[in-house]
């Protein structure tokens, strides 16, 4: 595999194709040359392309309709959920919160995927509470000695 001249002082790659030490590769946010070429071709054409897509959609083109509708009313990615969740003031309260989430799923108030998202939040908060508790205990032990 040969090294390409990209203007950096260390251009070589390792035998496995990874960048050699000191060669970070393309800078973060840099665009691929094909992407840049496509952007240049489309520059100034967005309004015309959009107008044509709308015309095709109005004429009944299913693909154009789908594209237009996805822009007008995009699919919801996330929605707020509402159900009773007990307060969590200690890591032990996570069990009660988990029971409340399971109850909400069994009663149809939450979908299983919504419950999984809520449980991830409960678990993150439980870990934060647990860390705070451990920090308090260590501080108390350190002040006693």
């Amino acid at each position: 595999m040969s090294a390409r001249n990209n203007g950096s002082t260390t251009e070589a790659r390792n035998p496995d194709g990874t960048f050699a030490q000191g060669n970070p590769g393309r800078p973060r946010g840099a665009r691929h040359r094909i992407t840049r070429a496509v952007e240049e071709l489309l520059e100034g054409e967005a309004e015309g392309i959009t107008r044509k897509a709308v015309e095709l959609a109005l004429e009944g083109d299913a693909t154009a309709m789908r594209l237009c509708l996805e822009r007008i009313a995009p699919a919801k990615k996330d929605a707020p959920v509402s159900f009773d969740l007990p307060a969590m003031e200690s890591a032990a309260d996570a069990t009660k919160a988990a029971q409340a989430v399971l109850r909400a799923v069994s009663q149809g108030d939450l979908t299983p995927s919504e419950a999984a998202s809520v449980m991830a939040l409960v678990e993150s908060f439980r870990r934060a509470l647990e860390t705070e508790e451990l920090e308090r205990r260590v501080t108390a032990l350190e002040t006693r000695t």
Side-chain angles (χ1 to χ4, degrees), residues 53 55-70:
E55 289 171 10
L56 289 170
L58 291 172
E59 291 171 6
D61 184 301
T63 303
M65 278 192 237
R66 190 183 79 248
L67 288 170
C68 290
L69 283 174
E70 286 173 352

Side-chain angles (χ1 to χ4, degrees), residues 20-97:
Q21 188 168 356
N23 182 355
R26 193 183 339 221
R28 186 181 280 279
R31 293 178 123 82
H32 190 274
R33 65 180 166 80
I34 294 173
T35 303
R36 289 193 314 263
V38 169
E39 288 174 348
E40 287 176 23
L41 283 172
L42 292 175
E43 190 173 320
E45 302 295 335
E47 187 176 329
I49 292 170
T50 303
R51 182 170 282 111
K52 184 66 176 180
V54 170
E55 289 171 10
L56 289 170
L58 291 172
E59 291 171 6
D61 184 301
T63 303
M65 278 192 237
R66 190 183 79 248
L67 288 170
C68 290
L69 283 174
E70 286 173 352
R71 297 328 180 261
I72 294 168
K76 280 188 170 180
K77 295 190 193 283
D78 212 357
V81 294
S82 179
F83 70 103
D84 291 328
L85 186 66
M88 287 181 55
E89 296 174 12
S90 71
D93 292 336
T95 303
K96 293 175 189 164

